Every structure is written in C-alpha cells, then in structure tokens.
Amino acid sequence: MTAKLLTVEQLYKPAVADALPASTRRLKAFNDFLGQERAKEAVLMALEMPHDGYNIFAIGENGLGKRTMIKRLLAEAAQQEEAASDWCYVNNFVEPRNPIVLELPAGKGVVVQKSMTKLWRAISRAVQASFQHESYVGRVEGLKATLTQAQQDELQDLALEAEKRQLKLVLRTPGGHGFSPTTPEGEVMNIDAFNALTIDDQQHRKTAMHDMEKRLQKLADRLGRMEDQNRDQVQKLNDEVTLAAIEPLIKKLKMQYEDLTSLVSYLSSYQQDIIENVDLILNSQELEPDAVASVSSDNAIPSRYQFNVIVSNNPKKGAPVVFEDLPTHYNLMGHVEQVTYMGTVATDFTLIRAGALHRANGGYLLLEAEQVLEQPYAWQGLKRALRSRSLKLSSLEQMLTLTGTISLEPDAIPLDVKIVLLGDRETFHLLQEYDPELQQFFKIRADFASAMPRTVENEQKYAHFLADCVAKEKLLPFDRSALMALIEESARAAEDQQKLSLHASSVGDLLREAHYWAIHQQEKQVNAAHIRHALAGQERRRGQL
C-alpha cells in the first residue's frame, strides 16, 4: 500500500474569520437549540399533545445540555399556561383513616389555611365566653335544681309510704338507700329489738321490707332515667349554645369562599364536629396533649381541625416545572410521616407530605432516567401513577412486607403531568428491551445529536451560542481569534473537520478556564492565546500516568 501525501487543507480547516464578529460583545444571546432541530421538534410536539402517553424520553450523551435546553422550552411553555391548582388535605370526621382532598385555585391554599387558623381562634374565644356567660350558667343550674327537687320528692313520697308500714328509708354505705324496721317511736330498730318481736311480726316486717325494696329499685331506675333526660337536656343546651356561638363565624367564612363548593361542604362538617366535640375547647387545659399537633407549626389547634396544604402554586408564574434530583419512591409519590409520642407511633392527615408528582401536577416534571431506575420501586410507582392518572399514597413498608403499622388511605388526587426523562442511549435501549411498557408511557423520543455539520452559517450560530455562554457565566468578552480557536477546537472534539461538537459541558469548562488565564494576565478580553493556554493546562492535568 503506497503512502499518500495529505494537503494542508486536509489536515487543518480554519474558521472563516470574515464571518465572525470582532467580539462576543456584539453578538446577541442565542436562545435556540444549537444543532438540535430534530430534538426540538419532538419536544414541541409532545408539549402540544394532550393525549395520554405523550411523555418525552430525551436521549443523548451526558454534557450536551439536554436538561438546560429542555428546561428552557418547558419554562416558555409553562408561562403560557394557567397556574396549577393548590391541593390540601383535611380531616374526614366520619372516617378519619380516609382524609379528604380539596382542590383550590392556585395561591388559595395558604390563604384558606390562614383563614381557618383565624376561624379556630375566634371560635375558641366565642365558645368559652358563651359557656361562662351567666345566662348559660343559670340555665344549667336550673336544670340541675329541677332534677334534684324531683329526686327528693320521689324519695320523700317513698319514705312516707315506708313510715306507714313501720319502716324507715336510710342511706347505707356503700349499698345506697335501703329500708330498716322502726320502733313505735320511729327510731331504727336494732337487731336485738327485732329478734324480740314475735315470729308473725318479724315475718310481717320482712314482707314489708321486701315489697318496699322492690319499689325502691323501680324508683332507682326511674331516677336513672330522669338523670339521663337531664343529661340530654344539658347536652341539647350545650349544642344550642355552641351553635349560636360558632354558626355566625363559620357562615361568614362560607360566604367569603362561596365559589369553593368543596370547602363550603367541609365547613359544614367542621361545624357539626365542633358541636359534638366542644369539650376540646372547654377542657383544653385538662386534656392530654395531642401527639400529632405537638409537632405541628401551630400546636394550639387540635390536629383534627388543622388544614394541611401539601401543594401551593403561585398564580402569576404559570404551570409548575419541577426537577427532582433524588427520585426515591417517597420523593416521587409522596408519603405519610409518623411521630413517636410516649412510646407509641401516631399519624394523621396533617403529616401527609407531597412528592415531586404532586408539585408538578398540572405542569412538567424532569427526571434523570438512571436515577429513577436506581431507586427501589420508583419506576413501578411512576408507571402506576401514569397508568391510573391519579396519585394515591401508599406505604412502601406495607408493599414490601404485606404488614406494617395501620396507616392512612387519603383520597387520590387526579394526575395531569407531562414527564421528561433524561438519559443516555444505552439506558434508553436497555429499558426499551426489558420493559415493554416504555413505549406506552413515553411515546416521544427526543434524540439529541452530539455534533452538527460545519458550515459557515453554523459557525456563525456557534459563535452566538458561545456569546450566550459568556453572558450567562459573566465572563470577559472573547475576541475573533478566540472564537476561531473555539470553533476549531470544537471540530477536533467532533473528530471530523466537517462537524462541530455540541458538547456544551466541555465548552463551558474551556470558556471559564480561558477567562481565568485572561484575568490572570490582566487582559480585558480573551484571545486565542488564552484558549491555547487553557487547552494546554487541561492536557497537562490529564497527562499524569
């Protein structure tokens, strides 16, 4: 095989100097996908598809800037959309194990939470004042006096009847009331005196005592019913007083949020539960501390009446864009925390915590595919949520062991989210081979190129891209010679004179290091010598064997 001489043009292709500006100072920032037209087209199509499964799997080498580019597109799309709803959990007073979820307009969750806190404080003051008012105290005392008088009258009638039969109603301790035979003078007869009576007289007295004991037992039952009736009357009075104290306050809040039907319905249940559990207010100092409320931000409010806002969105910022860098099962799907108090484990709806899917609901979620696959049950949980289009909290402990402590089963939240998975080509193909459901949930493949054709037009675009990086990093301006050196180095990195590398990460490193050498040499802008110095430094650092 004969050797063939190569021309200088074949060995080295310089950048076109006349097509480049004198400095990056004169270039506008590049706000587009450099050389990624195909990937951009795929992403835009996915964002406009409202159907299920049109999520995105972005493929490309690490360092291409996939995340940065996609986040920019998502942010632009999110600004054109309405802000997502707020999501809150409240107590289910009928079935506490199944907390109720409330969907509120963006930004309303925290506002309503503050209103509920103020409402509870106002209710507490109003109820305590009502139960301390002299009119209430007088009515309760009246009911008690009526009961006492009725009991005394009944006992007095029975005592008079006993006297006619030579018996006396006495209080025995601890057996309560009973009857004893009496002497002609009306005094209780002792045992010796009783034994001195004739057999017939003793039998007559015993029969009378037995008969009166039966009547006393019937009277005791009747008195017990009278006490129950009195207790019911006091309870009815308490309910009336409580309702009169709290209804105007709750009605005012209902009118304030009359357009939020789910909240109005909850307030009705809230009102009824306070009436049934008014002792939580009246005896707040005597009751044992609430284990869950003790760890909340406002432990003065019993946990059953707290308002748990798990997701709050800014109504002025459009749809949410969330990147989760640690996509564990709990961080994705949310979870229910538990507290340990005096040796026992407790939980309730106030300890429900949102996951990334909750925060991104109504918007966009970015995930690193490899990190999702590394976390146990994270991939399965993500697919389950997409399949059901809902977010249902489940205990990972129960999933793994089929046992575990009794936990909550909160209402599921409807899911409407667009997911973007970021990964390299190998991860995508492995997942495609071993999980046939991948195509069902990620129908759009955005393939990011690692290089683009090297034309004069693309060299100009590359210069704009470099100017964008310089502006973002707040570096010194790069002159024409520096831009030429960077373009030529990009071709070397692509290992092809006719292509330019799109590896944004390595370019960013080179820009920052060249800036360092220019500052070190007290220059006002970066030139080709600084680029060569930075490249030499990289080579020197990597050259140790």
Side-chain angles (χ1 to χ4, degrees), residues 20 82 141 186 216 219 269 306 327 357 377 432 464 486 509 523 544:
L20 299 176
E82 293 183 358
E141 292 299 330
L216 178 60
L219 176 59
S269 302
Q306 291 191 18
L357 284 169
Y377 294 91
Q432 188 178 46
H464 280 274
L486 288 166
D509 293 341
E523 298 285 352
Q544 181 71 35

mmCIF file of all heavy atoms in Angstrom, residues 20 82 141 186 216 219 269 306 327 357 377 432 464 486 509 523 544:
data_model
loop_
_atom_site.group_PDB
_atom_site.id
_atom_site.type_symbol
_atom_site.label_atom_id
_atom_site.label_comp_id
_atom_site.label_asym_id
_atom_site.label_seq_id
_atom_site.Cartn_x
_atom_site.Cartn_y
_atom_site.Cartn_z
ATOM 1 N N LEU A 20 -17.126 36.041 11.250
ATOM 2 C CA LEU A 20 -17.255 36.148 12.702
ATOM 3 C C LEU A 20 -17.096 37.597 13.148
ATOM 4 O O LEU A 20 -16.357 38.368 12.529
ATOM 5 C CB LEU A 20 -16.188 35.283 13.387
ATOM 6 C CG LEU A 20 -16.265 33.788 13.090
ATOM 7 C CD1 LEU A 20 -15.089 33.068 13.741
ATOM 8 C CD2 LEU A 20 -17.583 33.206 13.595
ATOM 9 N N GLU A 82 -52.078 28.257 32.457
ATOM 10 C CA GLU A 82 -52.602 28.703 33.740
ATOM 11 C C GLU A 82 -51.864 28.001 34.877
ATOM 12 O O GLU A 82 -51.399 26.872 34.735
ATOM 13 C CB GLU A 82 -54.095 28.398 33.854
ATOM 14 C CG GLU A 82 -54.954 29.208 32.898
ATOM 15 C CD GLU A 82 -56.440 28.928 33.113
ATOM 16 O OE1 GLU A 82 -56.772 28.075 33.968
ATOM 17 O OE2 GLU A 82 -57.249 29.550 32.416
ATOM 18 N N GLU A 141 -77.801 25.503 86.002
ATOM 19 C CA GLU A 141 -78.138 25.359 87.418
ATOM 20 C C GLU A 141 -79.624 25.081 87.591
ATOM 21 O O GLU A 141 -80.035 24.310 88.469
ATOM 22 C CB GLU A 141 -77.733 26.624 88.187
ATOM 23 C CG GLU A 141 -76.233 26.842 88.295
ATOM 24 C CD GLU A 141 -75.524 25.725 89.034
ATOM 25 O OE1 GLU A 141 -76.154 25.102 89.923
ATOM 26 O OE2 GLU A 141 -74.346 25.451 88.712
ATOM 27 N N GLY A 186 -90.459 5.582 116.144
ATOM 28 C CA GLY A 186 -89.938 5.978 114.841
ATOM 29 C C GLY A 186 -88.448 5.842 114.681
ATOM 30 O O GLY A 186 -87.885 6.228 113.649
ATOM 31 N N LEU A 216 -88.303 0.519 95.760
ATOM 32 C CA LEU A 216 -87.101 1.358 95.735
ATOM 33 C C LEU A 216 -86.275 1.116 94.474
ATOM 34 O O LEU A 216 -85.739 2.050 93.876
ATOM 35 C CB LEU A 216 -86.249 1.087 96.982
ATOM 36 C CG LEU A 216 -84.923 1.867 97.089
ATOM 37 C CD1 LEU A 216 -85.190 3.368 97.104
ATOM 38 C CD2 LEU A 216 -84.125 1.440 98.306
ATOM 39 N N LEU A 219 -87.911 2.811 91.698
ATOM 40 C CA LEU A 219 -87.645 4.242 91.802
ATOM 41 C C LEU A 219 -86.237 4.581 91.344
ATOM 42 O O LEU A 219 -86.003 5.598 90.677
ATOM 43 C CB LEU A 219 -87.854 4.692 93.251
ATOM 44 C CG LEU A 219 -87.526 6.163 93.542
ATOM 45 C CD1 LEU A 219 -88.393 7.083 92.680
ATOM 46 C CD2 LEU A 219 -87.700 6.489 95.019
ATOM 47 N N SER A 269 -69.313 20.168 57.763
ATOM 48 C CA SER A 269 -68.882 19.039 58.593
ATOM 49 C C SER A 269 -68.048 19.526 59.773
ATOM 50 O O SER A 269 -68.150 18.989 60.883
ATOM 51 C CB SER A 269 -68.068 18.052 57.744
ATOM 52 O OG SER A 269 -68.817 17.591 56.648
ATOM 53 N N GLN A 306 -56.943 20.992 61.858
ATOM 54 C CA GLN A 306 -55.912 21.694 61.098
ATOM 55 C C GLN A 306 -56.164 21.548 59.598
ATOM 56 O O GLN A 306 -56.975 20.735 59.146
ATOM 57 C CB GLN A 306 -54.531 21.193 61.482
ATOM 58 C CG GLN A 306 -54.138 21.586 62.905
ATOM 59 C CD GLN A 306 -52.684 21.327 63.211
ATOM 60 O OE1 GLN A 306 -51.862 21.167 62.317
ATOM 61 N NE2 GLN A 306 -52.336 21.283 64.491
ATOM 62 N N PRO A 327 -35.020 10.932 42.971
ATOM 63 C CA PRO A 327 -36.361 10.379 42.735
ATOM 64 C C PRO A 327 -36.607 9.039 43.436
ATOM 65 O O PRO A 327 -36.810 8.002 42.791
ATOM 66 C CB PRO A 327 -36.396 10.226 41.217
ATOM 67 C CG PRO A 327 -34.979 9.958 40.837
ATOM 68 C CD PRO A 327 -34.136 10.758 41.801
ATOM 69 N N LEU A 357 -44.376 14.432 42.008
ATOM 70 C CA LEU A 357 -45.530 14.360 41.124
ATOM 71 C C LEU A 357 -46.646 15.290 41.595
ATOM 72 O O LEU A 357 -47.375 15.863 40.775
ATOM 73 C CB LEU A 357 -46.045 12.924 41.034
ATOM 74 C CG LEU A 357 -45.215 11.976 40.161
ATOM 75 C CD1 LEU A 357 -45.656 10.535 40.356
ATOM 76 C CD2 LEU A 357 -45.323 12.366 38.691
ATOM 77 N N TYR A 377 -38.544 0.552 43.537
ATOM 78 C CA TYR A 377 -39.981 0.771 43.326
ATOM 79 C C TYR A 377 -40.331 2.163 42.806
ATOM 80 O O TYR A 377 -41.510 2.489 42.677
ATOM 81 C CB TYR A 377 -40.767 0.486 44.620
ATOM 82 C CG TYR A 377 -40.713 -0.967 45.013
ATOM 83 C CD1 TYR A 377 -39.710 -1.422 45.870
ATOM 84 C CD2 TYR A 377 -41.624 -1.875 44.519
ATOM 85 C CE1 TYR A 377 -39.640 -2.765 46.225
ATOM 86 C CE2 TYR A 377 -41.567 -3.223 44.864
ATOM 87 C CZ TYR A 377 -40.569 -3.660 45.722
ATOM 88 O OH TYR A 377 -40.498 -4.988 46.053
ATOM 89 N N GLN A 432 -35.875 -0.104 26.934
ATOM 90 C CA GLN A 432 -36.771 -0.483 25.828
ATOM 91 C C GLN A 432 -36.818 -2.003 25.657
ATOM 92 O O GLN A 432 -37.878 -2.574 25.358
ATOM 93 C CB GLN A 432 -36.289 0.184 24.539
ATOM 94 C CG GLN A 432 -37.232 0.024 23.353
ATOM 95 C CD GLN A 432 -36.702 0.742 22.130
ATOM 96 O OE1 GLN A 432 -35.513 0.630 21.798
ATOM 97 N NE2 GLN A 432 -37.556 1.486 21.451
ATOM 98 N N HIS A 464 -22.718 32.657 18.208
ATOM 99 C CA HIS A 464 -23.816 33.184 19.018
ATOM 100 C C HIS A 464 -24.018 32.337 20.285
ATOM 101 O O HIS A 464 -24.286 32.870 21.366
ATOM 102 C CB HIS A 464 -25.106 33.205 18.190
ATOM 103 C CG HIS A 464 -25.207 34.364 17.263
ATOM 104 N ND1 HIS A 464 -25.708 35.591 17.648
ATOM 105 C CD2 HIS A 464 -24.856 34.493 15.950
ATOM 106 C CE1 HIS A 464 -25.674 36.422 16.614
ATOM 107 N NE2 HIS A 464 -25.159 35.780 15.567
ATOM 108 N N LEU A 486 -11.991 28.452 19.315
ATOM 109 C CA LEU A 486 -13.023 27.605 19.911
ATOM 110 C C LEU A 486 -13.751 26.783 18.861
ATOM 111 O O LEU A 486 -14.084 25.613 19.091
ATOM 112 C CB LEU A 486 -14.023 28.488 20.686
ATOM 113 C CG LEU A 486 -13.502 29.089 22.004
ATOM 114 C CD1 LEU A 486 -14.429 30.187 22.493
ATOM 115 C CD2 LEU A 486 -13.368 27.998 23.072
ATOM 116 N N ASP A 509 -16.436 24.503 30.290
ATOM 117 C CA ASP A 509 -15.196 24.409 31.062
ATOM 118 C C ASP A 509 -14.070 25.194 30.389
ATOM 119 O O ASP A 509 -13.315 25.915 31.050
ATOM 120 C CB ASP A 509 -14.782 22.946 31.214
ATOM 121 C CG ASP A 509 -15.748 22.159 32.080
ATOM 122 O OD1 ASP A 509 -16.505 22.788 32.844
ATOM 123 O OD2 ASP A 509 -15.749 20.916 31.991
ATOM 124 N N GLU A 523 -5.778 40.928 31.211
ATOM 125 C CA GLU A 523 -6.318 41.314 29.901
ATOM 126 C C GLU A 523 -7.777 41.721 30.046
ATOM 127 O O GLU A 523 -8.475 41.305 30.974
ATOM 128 C CB GLU A 523 -6.210 40.149 28.915
ATOM 129 C CG GLU A 523 -4.793 39.697 28.631
ATOM 130 C CD GLU A 523 -4.042 40.660 27.718
ATOM 131 O OE1 GLU A 523 -4.694 41.590 27.186
ATOM 132 O OE2 GLU A 523 -2.827 40.486 27.551
ATOM 133 N N GLN A 544 -0.710 12.891 33.632
ATOM 134 C CA GLN A 544 -0.002 12.078 34.620
ATOM 135 C C GLN A 544 -0.372 10.601 34.455
ATOM 136 O O GLN A 544 -1.526 10.239 34.443
ATOM 137 C CB GLN A 544 -0.363 12.554 36.033
ATOM 138 C CG GLN A 544 0.322 11.792 37.145
ATOM 139 C CD GLN A 544 1.813 12.108 37.225
ATOM 140 O OE1 GLN A 544 2.208 13.245 36.975
ATOM 141 N NE2 GLN A 544 2.608 11.120 37.546
#
